[in-house]
Amino acid sequence: MGGGAAGRIAALNGELTLSFLTRIAARYHLGIRDVLAAVTDVGGLQNLTGMLYPDSEIHLNAQARDRVAALCHVPQHVLEQALPAWTREEPSGKYGMGPVGRLMRGEEVVATWGPACPACTAARTGREVPARRYLAPEQRVCARHRYWLLYLPHTGGLTVPLGRCPEVIEAQRGHAGLLHRSPIGAQAFEVARAVTNSWWEQPWPRQEHAWPARLDATRPDGADPGWWKVAARDLITYPETVALARLLASRPLQQRAVAESGGHPPYRLGELPALLTEVAHELQRSWLVHRLAAVTHGPLFTWAHSCVLTRADPTPAARQKLWKVHSSHRPRPLSDLLPPPESRTDSGQPEPRPVKRLRGHSLQAERAFERSLAHAHAYHQQFGHLAVPKEDSLGDYPLGAWLSNLRTRHTRVPAHQAAALHALYRWWNAPWSTLWQRTWHQARDHSEAHGPLEPARGFPTTGYSLGEWLYLQCTRYPTLHPEQQRLLTQIGIDAAAAAAARPRRRNMRAGAEEALAHARSYAAEHGSLASVTSATVHDGFRLGQWLANQRNYQRTGHRPLPAGRAQALTAIDPWWCPPWHLRWQRHYYRSRDAAAGRRLQAENGFNALDDAGAADWLWRQCATYDELRPEQQQLLTDIGITADVARSAREHARTTPPRPAAAPAPQTDKPSPAGRGADPAASTHRRRTRRAAEPKRPREPRSRLGHRPDLMPGFETALAHARAYAAEHGHLAAPRDTRHDGYPLGWWLFSQRNRAKQRARDRLPPSPHLTELTAIDLWWNPPWKTEWQRNYYRARNHIEAGEPYDPVARIPAPSTALGSWTTRACLTYHQLHPDQQHLLNAIGITAQTAGQWPPSPRPRPHAEALHHARTWAIEHGHLCPPIKTVRNGFPLGKWLDSQRQLAKKRASPSPPSRCSP
């Protein structure tokens, strides 16, 4: 647009609003501060927030925009189309209603911009006045006048002549073509920019000639070379960035990379030689192949890693992750790298510059990483690797969980942390399991101690488990990760050795002798093998599983046991595999031990035995004595239960009244259908017979409070703590984690509330014992949140202590925790439960008091909040407290969180214009 009618000042397409105001000021021969004062004047006061800097942007409200439109004589809808930030925000002022302006700066809150081409600006405006425009990456070059439009923080930008760098202008044409052809061209450019900037920050090899020559050709006269190398980063790398973006956006290249990986996530870029070859060819740097082959981290590795994973999950969400540049790989903003202009004191001396904390850098996170790295170093010194299981700890530190989290997000780990871990142990983020890595270390240590492995002979020097693992790797050798194959080659297993490998044959005789030795030891310790279950482990040996297999072979005959092994087991325990259920045999041994040294008296129901369960079992055997096997009868005879004794026991049961059943003996195995047939005592009709002969014993009467007698002591203990807590605090609204004299009173009260509410939901009457709690505190279980009740008691205690409390006068202040609760109570008074309103009336908050509050609370003063924030930062060295942090009654954590959310809403960058200048 050009300036046509007298007094009409047109905006450039995509211009910054403050740049437009600066040109208006120049047209009226005024300073920019004069124009800002006129635009935001409210009764003689300047309704403007923020500081004015050369790289600032301004947001105006509707009234201020009306004044600007009147100054430039251009309709607002025309200005809205030309200025991207014209209606970006409706700022609020500090002097009430009226025109408002808000100044802001920084790469986080203002979208990328740069200086407008001076020749293009003069042609469109008729004046040689500098201007600034929002610029997309492809708009940094003015191909007509051969300028690079460079953004420089703390300045209005810099136009760099490109007469000696025609490759930059040619790259801009290729960039525009890429965006026109490919829908992912912009995303590919961002990935390529991260890659070239990572190369820029590393020491340049001696083979690199293009970047130093381009750096010298574009450096302004008198500029410091070190400063210019930082400032011109995007300019110098632009041709390579465009070429790399065009290559990464190519679908055939992605398919070749996936095919070359064999479906394995890459561990290093050297596993994708075709990708490196094409990158080197496209950038005309053949030496890049060797330089990038050992890279295991960075934006290019992350892209290749995501490319392989995307093939396994070709969803739109996975495709989107392919072009995501993580914060640890993004180029650092120039405002962090370039120092601000030097300021001087009144005496002319330069002022010391404060130490600036870099964006995205957390001092706490770095210290935590250093502590964790120290633990990892200690573990590596002890074990020689970092293949730590996830559940393992080093002392009290969860090293396994920390390393597992790092492996999960290894592509997002900052470069210096990844380098430190790689220097400690190069396989810390291997794309295979840590169990595989630990077993490989075991195999390597074995080969160093016992000589080379012999795959063709079945790994004779190794143990059975290690030999089986090695043979399994040989059978899977062609499908293993290339780096796994390299590791196996280091211990003598290459492709030829893997093809000739034989399985590790276990010495069955030695294994059986070991199992029998464990069986002898177990029988000597416990007296028999009947108590061995399938889960029994004896001195690290799975004796239960082995013995279950032997019993299965013996009973089914599917795989007959060797005669010597069956004889050995019989010598250990003649009844190691009885023809009846093992449960009968276990009860027999228990009864035999209980009857040792005692005379069994069937006439009194074996009441002389100390073990009531054993006595009950013996009575049941007497009741079914005639149905038992001869071998079982002989075993019972050995402990004194003969046919006459069994007959006497049955006669005694008929002539005496039934007695309460004894507690059943502990059972370790659930009887199977086959076992029921083998164990007559466990049959269904026998159980019915016994139940008919022995009716159920009557239930013991419950207590008056609804508790079982065995639970009464625990209830009384908890009630005593509740009384003591209420006497100390005046209520029972205790938080859930409250402990009173070591007793978890908070959890107990929480469970009592839950049970009471569940009974109410089930339409059951309240438990009688809860009246004890109601007598202590009438509101121990209110129908509202206990947090509200705790705040109420806090307010009541505040009043009883004589502290000032006036809800109408906002005392305490709404910035405090108590004042904030009072504010919410007044604003929501008519929505509260009637009992809540009754409680509030007792502390002076009535319906009339609540009616004097405005519909929304008054904004919280920031002076007190900033004071607490400064004090916290001085004490802790940062301003990242937990959200629940309360400092001296002020909710600092919530306040900072709300400020961050507000800053994100206000400070999102303005959308850059893609229109041509």
Side-chain angles (χ1 to χ4, degrees):
M1 294 181 190
R8 183 173 183 271
I9 308 172
L12 297 175
N13 205 354
E15 188 175 8
L16 274 72
T17 305
L18 188 61
S19 172
F20 179 54
L21 295 181
T22 304
R23 292 198 298 108
I24 293 176
R27 177 67 68 89
Y28 285 102
H29 303 287
L30 297 174
I32 181 60
R33 295 184 183 275
D34 299 328
V35 173
L36 292 177
V39 169
T40 62
D41 178 72
V42 177
L45 299 175
Q46 190 174 358
N47 205 2
L48 183 68
T49 58
M51 300 294 291
L52 180 63
Y53 292 96
D55 55 348
S56 294
E57 172 62 306
I58 189 170
H59 288 165
L60 303 172
N61 67 349
Q63 296 174 340
R65 294 197 296 269
D66 290 338
R67 292 188 180 183
V68 174
L71 282 175
C72 65
H73 302 285
V74 177
Q76 281 222 37
H77 70 276
V78 177
L79 293 176
E80 185 177 353
Q81 292 179 357
L83 303 175
W86 181 250
T87 57
R88 179 67 181 84
E89 181 185 350
E90 292 288 331
S92 58
K94 53 185 177 181
Y95 297 121
M97 305 300 292
V100 180
R102 179 172 180 257
L103 291 165
M104 58 181 57
R105 63 194 293 255
E107 297 174 71
E108 289 78 17
V109 296
V110 181
T112 55
W113 59 269
C117 174
C120 294
T121 303
R124 284 163 174 76
T125 63
R127 293 173 178 270
E128 295 184 358
V129 179
R132 293 180 294 142
R133 296 176 59 244
Y134 289 107
L135 298 175
E138 70 276 10
Q139 295 174 324
R140 290 285 173 186
V141 176
C142 178
R144 178 181 301 176
H145 301 101
R146 296 178 174 270
Y147 279 116
W148 176 270
L149 310 177
L150 178 64
Y151 161 77
L152 283 177
H154 321 296
T155 70
L158 179 66
T159 55
V160 182
L162 297 176
R164 298 170 59 188
C165 299
E167 66 274 15
V168 177
I169 301 173
E170 185 64 27
Q172 191 270 342
R173 296 191 182 97
H175 192 180
L178 172 64
L179 297 178
H180 178 72
R181 294 190 309 270
S182 175
I184 58 172
Q187 298 170 303
F189 180 83
E190 290 301 321
V191 175
R193 180 171 176 263
V195 174
T196 55
N197 276 269
S198 66
W199 297 345
W200 179 270
E201 295 172 356
Q202 298 172 7
W204 298 349
R206 57 182 179 82
Q207 298 95 332
E208 178 59 52
H209 303 293
W211 284 357
R214 203 176 297 154
L215 198 63
D216 291 338
T218 57
R219 180 162 58 92
D221 296 337
D224 180 65
W227 172 86
W228 181 243
K229 182 178 179 181
V230 176
R233 175 187 63 189
D234 292 338
L235 164 60
I236 306 304
T237 60
Y238 184 69
E240 287 74 20
T241 301
V242 173
L244 186 58
R246 186 167 56 247
L247 183 64
L248 296 181
S250 170
R251 181 60 64 87
L253 174 69
Q254 301 173 24
Q255 295 174 350
R256 287 194 295 271
V258 171
E260 193 174 26
S261 68
H264 297 292
Y267 170 73
R268 57 187 182 91
L269 285 177
E271 300 168 21
L272 307 173
L275 172 65
L276 300 186
T277 301
E278 293 198 40
V279 169
H281 175 74
E282 187 70 21
L283 301 183
Q284 299 180 3
R285 289 167 171 83
S286 58
W287 46 269
L288 268 178
V289 175
H290 177 73
R291 185 177 178 86
L292 296 178
V295 171
T296 60
H297 191 266
L300 184 58
F301 173 82
T302 301
W303 180 87
H305 188 274
S306 301
C307 189
V308 176
L309 296 183
T310 303
R311 179 64 179 271
D313 183 20
T315 60
R319 296 288 304 174
Q320 190 66 23
K321 292 180 181 179
L322 175 62
W323 305 109
K324 182 178 180 180
V325 181
H326 299 290
S327 58
S328 58
H329 298 154
R330 293 173 190 158
R332 190 165 293 281
L334 289 179
S335 53
D336 283 352
L337 302 176
L338 293 177
E342 188 178 71
S343 57
R344 296 183 177 273
T345 61
D346 297 337
S347 61
Q349 298 295 328
E351 289 185 352
R353 293 169 178 167
V355 178
K356 186 175 182 180
R357 201 168 94 182
L358 300 179
R359 295 174 179 83
H361 178 80
S362 172
L363 185 60
Q364 284 184 322
E366 289 298 327
R367 290 176 178 172
F369 177 79
E370 292 174 1
R371 290 193 296 268
S372 303
L373 189 64
H375 287 290
H377 186 75
Y379 187 94
H380 184 269
Q381 284 186 332
Q382 182 177 357
F383 298 99
H385 60 83
L386 288 183
V388 189
K390 184 178 181 179
E391 62 277 2
D392 277 15
S393 300
L394 183 64
D396 296 333
Y397 183 77
L399 182 63
W402 178 72
L403 283 171
S404 177
N405 293 336
L406 284 181
R407 295 187 197 103
T408 302
R409 54 182 182 88
H410 68 96
T411 58
R412 305 192 296 271
V413 175
H416 66 283
Q417 295 183 3
L421 288 167
H422 190 271
L424 180 60
Y425 181 65
R426 60 176 303 187
W427 306 108
W428 70 274
N429 63 332
W432 48 83
S433 67
T434 55
L435 176 61
W436 193 97
Q437 193 67 20
R438 289 195 300 274
T439 313
W440 178 85
H441 279 282
Q442 180 184 353
R444 187 193 63 179
D445 297 341
H446 179 87
S447 63
E448 292 176 354
H450 300 88
L453 302 172
E454 300 180 69
R457 296 181 55 196
F459 308 98
T461 61
T462 64
Y464 179 75
S465 59
L466 180 58
E468 284 294 301
W469 182 86
L470 288 169
Y471 177 70
L472 184 63
Q473 306 314 307
C474 292
T475 59
R476 298 176 178 176
Y477 191 88
T479 61
L480 292 178
H481 194 282
E483 295 298 326
Q484 288 177 295
Q485 296 177 358
R486 291 182 57 190
L487 289 174
L488 290 176
T489 303
Q490 294 179 15
I491 59 176
I493 302 178
D494 53 10
R502 294 292 179 267
R504 175 71 165 86
R505 297 300 182 187
R506 185 173 185 178
N507 191 328
M508 302 302 294
R509 182 182 296 277
E513 291 296 333
E514 179 186 3
L516 288 173
H518 283 283
R520 292 189 188 95
S521 175
Y522 186 93
E525 182 179 351
H526 299 86
S528 67
L529 294 179
S531 58
V532 178
T533 65
S534 59
T536 301
V537 177
H538 182 262
D539 293 339
F541 181 77
R542 299 177 64 184
L543 177 63
Q545 186 61 52
W546 180 82
L547 195 56
N549 293 337
Q550 309 309 306
R551 287 171 177 152
N552 185 50
Y553 300 152
Q554 181 75 358
R555 287 170 179 162
T556 62
H558 175 68
R559 182 180 172 184
L561 287 179
R565 189 181 307 170
Q567 293 175 1
L569 286 170
T570 304
I572 297 173
D573 182 2
W575 302 107
W576 70 275
C577 183
W580 47 83
H581 199 277
L582 277 171
R583 190 175 61 172
W584 192 95
Q585 195 68 22
R586 293 179 187 129
H587 291 333
Y588 169 77
Y589 285 126
R590 175 181 175 181
S591 302
R592 185 191 63 179
D593 295 340
R598 295 178 180 270
R599 179 176 175 272
L600 297 178
Q601 299 175 354
E603 60 275 7
N604 60 3
F606 308 106
N607 288 338
L609 297 181
D610 295 334
D611 191 341
D616 187 55
W617 183 84
L618 287 174
W619 185 91
R620 291 198 303 271
Q621 304 314 305
C622 292
T624 59
Y625 187 86
D626 296 336
E627 300 177 12
L628 295 178
R629 286 172 172 266
E631 296 90 344
Q632 291 175 298
Q633 295 176 356
Q634 181 60 42
L635 288 173
L636 291 174
T637 302
D638 294 343
I639 60 175
I641 305 296
T642 62
D644 296 336
V645 172
R647 190 179 307 108
S648 300
R650 290 195 297 270
E651 292 294 335
H652 173 72
R654 294 192 190 98
T655 58
T656 57
R659 59 182 176 84
Q667 300 177 3
T668 55
D669 284 342
K670 183 177 180 180
S672 61
R676 292 195 187 102
D679 184 7
S683 62
T684 304
H685 70 279
R686 300 302 175 199
R687 188 176 295 115
R688 291 176 180 172
T689 303
R690 181 175 58 83
R691 287 177 180 175
E694 297 183 8
K696 294 182 179 178
R697 61 180 178 180
R699 292 186 177 181
E700 298 181 6
R702 291 183 178 271
S703 67
R704 181 176 57 84
L705 295 178
H707 277 304
R708 299 201 314 264
D710 58 328
L711 296 182
M712 279 300 299
F715 178 78
E716 294 295 340
T717 301
L719 203 61
H721 284 283
R723 291 193 185 98
Y725 184 89
E728 181 179 352
H729 299 87
H731 60 86
L732 287 181
R736 195 182 306 180
D737 56 351
T738 300
R739 300 186 70 88
H740 184 266
D741 294 338
Y743 184 81
L745 180 62
W747 273 106
W748 183 79
L749 288 171
F750 175 74
S751 64
Q752 299 303 314
R753 294 189 191 102
N754 281 349
R755 291 171 183 170
K757 292 174 183 176
Q758 184 61 44
R759 289 182 66 87
R761 285 192 292 266
D762 296 341
R763 299 181 180 179
L764 298 175
S767 298
H769 69 278
L770 296 183
T771 57
E772 302 273 346
L773 291 171
T774 306
I776 299 174
D777 181 5
L778 180 62
W779 302 106
W780 76 275
N781 185 25
W784 49 84
K785 291 185 177 180
T786 54
E787 182 182 2
W788 190 96
Q789 195 68 17
R790 284 195 295 273
N791 285 320
Y792 168 78
Y793 287 125
R794 190 177 294 116
R796 189 188 66 180
N797 296 337
H798 180 86
I799 296 172
E800 292 177 353
E803 299 293 335
Y805 189 83
D806 188 354
V808 178
R810 277 61 167 178
I811 299 174
S815 59
T816 63
L818 184 56
S820 176
W821 177 83
T822 303
T823 301
R824 294 194 302 272
C826 292
L827 292 175
T828 60
Y829 181 85
H830 298 289
Q831 305 172 11
L832 298 178
H833 194 279
D835 290 334
Q836 288 178 291
Q837 296 177 354
H838 178 73
L839 291 174
L840 291 176
N841 294 341
I843 61 174
I845 300 179
T846 62
Q848 293 77 12
T849 303
Q852 299 181 27
W853 280 75
S856 59
R858 188 174 56 182
R860 179 173 293 168
H862 286 259
E864 180 185 3
L866 291 175
H867 171 72
H868 287 292
R870 291 191 187 98
T871 307
W872 177 276
I874 293 173
E875 293 176 356
H876 299 84
H878 63 87
L879 205 55
C880 299
I883 195 171
K884 295 184 179 180
T885 300
V886 177
R887 188 183 182 280
N888 296 336
F890 180 79
L892 180 61
K894 290 185 177 180
W895 182 81
L896 283 171
D897 182 72
S898 64
Q899 301 306 308
R900 295 188 189 101
Q901 299 299 330
L902 183 61
K904 290 177 182 178
K905 292 179 181 178
R906 290 183 174 179
S908 56
S910 303
S913 173
R914 290 193 179 275
C915 301
S916 58

